[in-house]
Amino acid sequence: MNIQISERAERYLRDKIGSESSPVRLVFDAEGCGCGVNGIPALWIVSAQAEDDMEIHSKSIPFVINQVHAIYFEENLYLDSEETYPSFRLSGDSQLYGQNVRLLDKREV
């Protein structure tokens, strides 16, 4: 799995991650969405990669995804953001996953 990140999205992510090398986990968040196939993509800044995570190839920021969630996404993903709006646009080669993908900081304090 690969993800291309626009310059704007990379700047925004680096600002939120800070000086740590925390990975960003791409999740298929189905909590509160009914059955397991209903869900929305989300981005979580996490403290470390989990045992069930696999890496998503990126040229700059470390991305991971739980192996179970990987089935919901295409092999090639694209992440962009708006300069003045605090969310992301996630797309693949054949579909748009979301124009309002939120970034949550889930690092343990």
Side-chain angles (χ1 to χ4, degrees):
M1 186 174 273
N2 303 294
I3 189 163
Q4 286 185 339
I5 307 165
S6 73
E7 288 182 26
R8 276 191 310 256
E10 182 179 343
R11 275 194 316 270
Y12 185 70
L13 284 169
R14 287 196 186 286
D15 182 52
K16 295 299 179 187
I17 292 170
S19 61
E20 300 176 36
S21 61
S22 300
V24 176
R25 180 177 292 137
L26 173 60
V27 297
F28 185 76
D29 191 358
E31 189 170 323
C33 293
C35 71
V37 295
N38 291 331
I40 57 172
L43 300 171
W44 295 353
I45 302 170
V46 294
S47 299
Q49 183 172 337
E51 187 176 313
D52 292 341
D53 284 345
M54 60 186 238
E55 291 183 20
I56 299 176
H57 299 287
S58 165
K59 290 184 179 178
S60 55
I61 299 199
F63 269 80
V64 295
I65 188 168
N66 184 290
Q67 293 175 12
V68 173
H69 292 195
I71 64 168
Y72 297 107
F73 299 98
E74 295 175 51
E75 185 65 24
N76 295 306
L77 300 171
Y78 308 94
L79 188 68
D80 197 3
S81 66
E82 295 294 327
E83 199 67 49
T84 59
Y85 195 67
S87 67
F88 295 89
R89 180 180 197 274
L90 180 67
S91 61
D93 287 331
S94 63
Q95 68 177 308
L96 174 65
Y97 290 98
Q99 293 187 148
N100 193 22
V101 178
R102 296 287 177 189
L103 175 67
L104 300 173
D105 193 338
K106 298 271 190 164
R107 290 178 279 197
E108 299 172 9
V109 194

